[in-house]
């Protein structure tokens, strides 16, 4: 993840858009409007109607349900600091 962060910093600010998964899940239409605007695309009623019909489910904490305690410990040892720095751990 450090390499991704390093590469991200080298991209000029006007050429990148950070999309927050949690915000996308809360309101896909708002996030997609930001993406459309950033990309310089025109918006359409047809596109907005389609986005409005898509059901997005938050799977941020799915790993807590799906992994056993040994797997969770291994995950935390491996990427716990990164998960915390990105705001995925409370």
């Amino acid at each position: 993840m450090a390499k991704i962060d390093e590469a991200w910093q080298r991209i000029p600010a006007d050429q990148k858009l950070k999309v927050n998964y949690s915000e996308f899940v809360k309101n896909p239409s708002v996030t997609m409007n930001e993406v459309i605007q950033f990309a310089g695309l025109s918006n359409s009623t047809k596109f907005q109607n389609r986005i409005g019909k898509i059901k997005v489910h938050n799977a941020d904490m799915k790993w807590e349900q799906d992994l056993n305690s040994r797997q969770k410990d291994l995950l935390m040892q491996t990427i716990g600091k990164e998960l915390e720095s990105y705001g995925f751990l409370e």
Side-chain angles (χ1 to χ4, degrees), residues 17-75:
L17 174 69
K18 189 177 275 190
V19 176
N20 181 288
Y21 173 76
S22 298
E23 293 300 318
F24 172 70
V25 170
K26 286 180 196 172
N27 198 338
S29 294
V30 169
T31 302
M32 291 308 299
N33 283 333
E34 291 171 0
V35 171
I36 289 168
Q37 186 175 25
F38 176 80
L41 301 172
S42 58
N43 205 340
S44 71
T45 303
K46 183 177 179 180
F47 181 78
Q48 288 302 317
N49 288 339
R50 179 69 181 124
I51 292 298
K53 292 178 183 176
I54 295 173
K55 301 296 180 205
V56 182
H57 302 283
N58 190 338
D60 269 348
M61 305 312 284
K62 189 173 184 323
W63 63 275
E64 286 189 331
Q65 299 167 356
D66 293 348
L67 301 180
N68 63 40
S69 58
R70 182 179 171 278
Q71 292 168 323
K72 289 177 191 178
D73 289 343
L74 181 58
L75 182 70

